Amino acid sequence: MLTLWTDSPKVLRRYYFSANKKEHHMCRNIRTLHNFAPPATDEEIRASALQFVRKLSGFARPSKANEAAFGRAVDQVTQVARELLDSLVTNAPARDREIEAARARARSLNRFHSSIA
């Protein structure tokens, strides 16, 4: 695994490159799960919890020595995230996943297209 650092004076960003396609990489985005129609699934909440624990621990995949602690942390964060999402109240209409995905794609295209030009 090769780690490169940018020369940004404000923030150093870490990028991971690997020839192994099955290797899990450190997350860069943790997505909003609240107020969507249909609501977030248990799989989406667990994936978000996994991203959070990866980000917090600095491990994309824990060592054997840390595997149990990592797994417990993911389970606990999943449970707390589900409780949080179930208890949040809003008067705003639920957002449509397809519309939000299209907006995200447009932002990404605009961002990366402008950086290439």
Side-chain angles (χ1 to χ4, degrees):
M1 182 177 291
L2 176 64
T3 304
L4 300 176
W5 296 91
T6 64
D7 293 327
S8 171
K10 293 182 180 179
V11 178
L12 292 178
R13 292 190 181 141
R14 201 168 175 176
Y15 297 93
Y16 294 90
F17 299 93
S18 173
N20 184 355
K21 300 286 185 194
K22 293 182 181 178
E23 186 171 336
H24 299 290
H25 298 284
M26 185 72 67
C27 72
R28 292 191 45 191
N29 297 319
I30 296 177
R31 303 198 190 301
T32 301
L33 297 177
H34 174 60
N35 199 27
F36 277 100
T41 65
D42 289 336
E43 291 171 353
E44 289 172 313
I45 294 170
R46 183 161 181 85
S48 180
L50 177 60
Q51 289 178 345
F52 177 75
V53 172
R54 283 178 175 168
K55 184 66 85 172
L56 190 65
S57 68
F59 300 128
R61 190 172 14 172
S63 65
K64 290 288 182 189
N66 293 321
E67 197 169 36
F70 192 89
R72 271 193 315 275
V74 172
D75 292 341
Q76 291 172 349
V77 170
T78 300
Q79 179 183 352
V80 170
R82 169 51 73 193
E83 290 171 8
L84 172 66
L85 291 172
D86 288 345
S87 66
L88 292 175
V89 178
T90 184
N91 292 327
R95 294 175 286 175
D96 184 282
R97 289 178 183 271
E98 293 301 319
I99 293 172
E100 294 300 320
R103 287 179 182 163
R105 284 189 298 272
R107 282 192 306 271
S108 178
L109 181 64
N110 188 33
R111 187 174 105 202
F112 291 112
H113 178 67
S114 63
S115 66
I116 294 171

